[in-house]
Amino acid sequence: MVKKKESASTDIIPATTLISISNELLAMQTKIIEQGGELLEGDLESLKKWEAAIEIKAENICHVLLKMEHEATYYEDLAKAARARAETLSKTDKRLRAYLISAMQATGTKQIKQNGGLFTISLVDGRANAKIDDQNQLPHDMVDIVEVVKPKTTEIKKALEAGKEVPGASLEYGAPYLMIRS
């Protein structure tokens, strides 16, 4: 069971969103700053109530996040199982086709058609494809020459973090993220 922090009072604050709670806390902080850092009567208790409210709201959000993570993992596992099943079916399909081709080739059969059957099965010669044995011997008018520039991002990042200037590159920081531990 999760222990709930005791609040300064048993009064429930009627804020329904994290934004409204945050706005109230900001208003309280602004008020205290405007008062020169002095707390008037009830300010401390009110501040504690809003802080408790934000803690409760954050904990509730964490429960929802945890549930969603578990649900996402469930669907990812389901998708992996579906991909594995599809791969198995595809491999079985290829083996059965190869088996039928092998049997038809062994017997010299080019076509199978039953009277009243659902299928007509034909053994068709394979299509011609260009096989490149040595691309360096191909004439220049038969090749596309492509130059690939691949930045060494790890080295660039280390240099930038060390304070060195790298023309054409800069450090970019990602968005803040939540780390939730239980």
Side-chain angles (χ1 to χ4, degrees):
M1 181 116 187
V2 179
K3 290 182 181 178
K4 292 191 177 180
K5 291 189 177 187
E6 291 183 27
S7 62
S9 170
T10 57
D11 295 341
I12 296 175
I13 296 177
T16 56
T17 67
L18 191 57
I19 292 174
S20 61
I21 295 170
S22 298
N23 286 339
E24 288 295 332
L25 270 171
L26 286 174
M28 286 293 302
Q29 290 172 351
T30 303
K31 178 182 169 188
I32 292 169
I33 290 169
E34 287 172 355
Q35 296 168 5
E38 293 288 323
L39 294 176
L40 299 179
E41 189 175 325
D43 283 350
L44 184 59
E45 186 175 309
S46 180
L47 193 57
K48 285 180 180 180
K49 285 180 186 180
W50 287 112
E51 286 175 347
I54 202 165
E55 288 174 6
I56 291 168
K57 192 58 130 176
E59 179 138 339
N60 290 339
I61 289 171
C62 287
H63 284 289
V64 171
L65 289 172
L66 187 61
K67 182 181 181 285
M68 288 181 352
E69 284 176 11
H70 288 298
E71 198 170 327
T73 300
Y74 167 77
Y75 286 115
E76 286 169 4
D77 292 345
L78 203 59
K80 284 179 191 174
R83 278 191 299 276
R85 179 69 177 140
E87 198 173 302
T88 299
L89 290 171
S90 179
K91 287 178 182 178
T92 302
D93 175 272
K94 288 176 185 171
R95 281 196 309 272
L96 282 172
R97 287 176 186 273
Y99 175 61
L100 187 55
I101 289 169
S102 153
M104 290 176 75
Q105 286 175 331
T107 60
T109 306
K110 288 285 189 186
Q111 191 175 52
I112 300 172
K113 182 173 178 151
Q114 274 185 298
N115 285 339
L118 294 174
F119 306 104
T120 299
I121 305 161
S122 301
L123 187 59
V124 182
D125 292 333
R127 295 183 182 116
N129 290 313
K131 179 183 172 212
I132 309 301
D133 298 317
D134 185 2
Q135 69 181 16
N136 295 327
Q137 291 182 359
L138 296 172
H140 288 288
D141 62 332
M142 295 287 184
V143 296
D144 286 328
I145 298 173
V146 179
E147 183 178 337
V148 178
V149 176
K150 185 178 177 194
K152 298 176 183 177
T153 54
T154 305
E155 292 179 27
I156 293 170
K157 179 183 170 193
K158 286 180 184 175
L160 290 169
E161 286 176 337
K164 296 179 183 174
E165 186 177 327
V166 179
S170 62
L171 282 177
E172 180 179 73
Y173 293 92
Y177 61 93
L178 290 176
M179 183 182 298
I180 301 170
R181 294 189 177 123
S182 56

